[in-house]
Amino acid sequence: MKQLQNTLYILTPETYLALQNENIAVKVGGEEKVRIPAHSLSSIYCFGAATVSTPLIGFCAQQGISLVFFSEYGKFLGRVEGPLHGNILLRRRQFAAMEDPVQRTRLVRYLLLGKLVNSKEFLLRQKRERTDRADVFKRAAEKLTALGLQLRDCTTVEAMRGVEGAAAAAYFSALPAMIAGDEFSFQGRNRRPPEDPVNALLSFLYTLLKNDVQSALEGVGLDPAVGFLHSIRPGRPAMALDLMEELRAPLCDRMAISLLNRGQITKKSYEQLNAPVLLNEAGRKVVLSAWQKRKQETITHPFLEETIPIGLIPHTQAKLLARVLRDELDEYPPFHWR
């Protein structure tokens, strides 16, 4: 099992990262703040105006440490990667599955069933905890059940995309009832740019998940750009977007609601409250701290029946997908959060 290594998040403006004897020195204003052993890191996320030395870039590429750059507001800018180490035979299977209508449809069906099941579980959890709004969650959960039955009968990816869109609308219609108090409101999912604080928080969490899933796919030798559900587009990690669908509700949506309802994210956590709405540095630090802490917690994997850190769920699912493509498993087992 892959060891759950840490991600180093750089949030402070004008930070300089340098290589010092296989350690990463973090400097601000010319003063070294901390030195971190490189072997303890799987990735480095740089937000805003961070500078990375050329020797460190080369070292990260050689050691397989992902070096990912974002704008100060969390928009993905790019990744620095070393030589590809993926299994060419596995990638050929992935390309063949994309071109095979039968296999592609079967894989997409299981990916979306996983999304609907986990979304429904989250709704039912809210129904138990928010009894004053139980009817809202019950109706949305029933809608997802009906759409899940439709999904099983779909024969094309296009038809399944339509079902997924209806499921997303039903699910997000219940999200306002999850938010306690009146500081925040939610009128529906929007992005590019987010138009309200809740959507800004969701988008930031989805970006973190997308990068974790992309790293997991690369780790097992799959091509993150070749997806089955999301269309292929230059620069788009379509496979990462596919695989993260089943994990959005349990890993991102659940955390977003918790951060809002516990008052850990407030209106003071944002640069501004009118579009584009963006988390400020303090807000991002709160989210990243909660994200890292959550990844260290453990859970029993429903298919493998093994206890793993939550942060390894993307890696586990990527391995299971690879086994399906190699014909070692008959069907892809989506992660079911219980």
Side-chain angles (χ1 to χ4, degrees):
M1 178 62 72
K2 179 182 176 68
Q3 181 182 0
L4 182 60
Q5 294 173 296
N6 294 315
T7 298
L8 173 62
Y9 295 97
I10 303 299
L11 299 174
T12 304
E14 308 302 329
T15 298
Y16 178 73
L17 303 180
L19 182 65
Q20 298 286 346
N21 300 320
E22 298 196 355
N23 294 301
I24 297 173
V26 181
K27 301 180 180 180
V28 179
E31 179 183 353
E32 184 172 315
K33 297 296 184 179
V34 67
R35 187 172 292 194
I36 303 168
H39 68 79
S40 68
L41 297 175
S42 62
S43 52
I44 303 172
Y45 288 6
C46 297
F47 291 82
T51 303
V52 183
S53 72
T54 302
L56 178 55
I57 292 174
F59 178 82
C60 288
Q62 289 179 332
Q63 299 300 314
I65 299 173
S66 298
L67 188 55
V68 190
F69 294 92
F70 303 86
S71 73
E72 61 180 312
Y73 303 120
K75 180 183 178 181
F76 175 77
L77 299 177
R79 297 164 61 93
V80 175
E81 300 172 342
L84 293 176
H85 299 290
N87 184 330
I88 184 58
L89 298 179
L90 175 59
R91 292 191 178 214
R92 285 183 63 184
R93 292 287 190 101
Q94 182 182 2
F95 302 152
M98 180 191 66
E99 299 293 344
D100 182 346
V102 175
Q103 188 174 14
R104 182 182 179 189
T105 299
R106 187 167 64 245
L107 285 167
V108 170
R109 180 178 291 110
Y110 279 98
L111 289 167
L112 290 182
L113 283 173
K115 177 177 183 175
L116 265 62
V117 167
N118 286 331
S119 297
K120 179 181 174 181
E121 288 289 338
F122 186 43
L123 290 169
L124 293 177
R125 180 186 180 93
Q126 291 292 312
K127 177 176 174 288
R128 293 190 296 270
E129 295 179 355
R130 297 291 304 273
T131 55
D132 57 321
R133 305 302 305 275
D135 57 327
V136 175
F137 304 120
K138 180 181 177 181
R139 286 196 301 271
E142 290 174 346
K143 181 66 172 177
L144 292 190
T145 299
L147 289 168
L149 295 175
Q150 289 184 33
L151 189 65
R152 293 181 184 275
D153 296 330
C154 290
T155 58
T156 66
V157 172
E158 288 71 20
M160 286 187 280
R161 287 189 182 124
V163 173
E164 188 275 336
Y171 171 76
F172 281 118
S173 72
L175 195 143
M178 301 179 189
I179 302 173
D182 56 6
E183 184 173 15
F184 295 106
S185 62
F186 182 81
Q187 303 299 324
R189 181 75 179 119
N190 58 68
R191 55 198 176 114
R192 298 177 187 172
E195 298 175 5
D196 59 78
V198 178
N199 273 293
L201 177 57
L202 288 173
S203 292
F204 188 70
L205 286 166
Y206 292 160
T207 296
L208 297 177
L209 177 60
K210 180 191 71 175
N211 281 282
D212 284 353
V213 173
Q214 183 169 343
S215 295
L217 291 167
E218 292 167 344
V220 301
L222 289 166
D223 189 334
V226 180
F228 307 127
L229 171 63
H230 291 83
S231 58
I232 296 175
R233 190 181 303 162
R236 187 187 206 189
M239 188 71 252
L241 297 174
D242 286 1
L243 199 61
M244 69 182 280
E245 289 294 348
E246 64 194 270
L247 303 178
R248 288 176 185 261
L251 296 186
C252 299
D253 302 350
R254 183 175 176 179
M255 177 171 288
I257 296 301
S258 176
L259 290 171
L260 293 171
N261 289 348
R262 292 178 180 177
Q264 293 172 271
I265 292 293
T266 67
K267 289 183 178 179
K268 294 181 180 179
S269 304
Y270 295 87
E271 293 281 355
Q272 59 188 38
L273 298 176
N274 56 308
V277 182
L278 305 164
L279 286 161
N280 58 27
E281 181 178 344
R284 293 195 299 271
K285 285 182 177 179
V286 170
V287 177
L288 292 170
S289 176
W291 183 255
Q292 287 293 83
K293 182 178 179 180
R294 183 63 165 153
K295 287 167 64 174
Q296 300 294 331
E297 298 174 8
T298 59
I299 192 170
T300 300
H301 193 282
F303 179 77
L304 300 176
E305 297 183 346
E306 297 177 1
T307 300
I308 63 169
I310 288 174
L312 287 187
I313 294 174
H315 296 274
T316 302
Q317 295 308 116
K319 287 182 178 180
L320 290 172
L321 177 59
R323 291 180 63 187
V324 173
L325 294 172
R326 293 192 184 102
D327 293 327
E328 296 172 5
L329 285 176
D330 292 333
E331 303 289 358
Y332 172 74
F335 185 85
H336 181 192
W337 189 281
R338 295 188 175 92

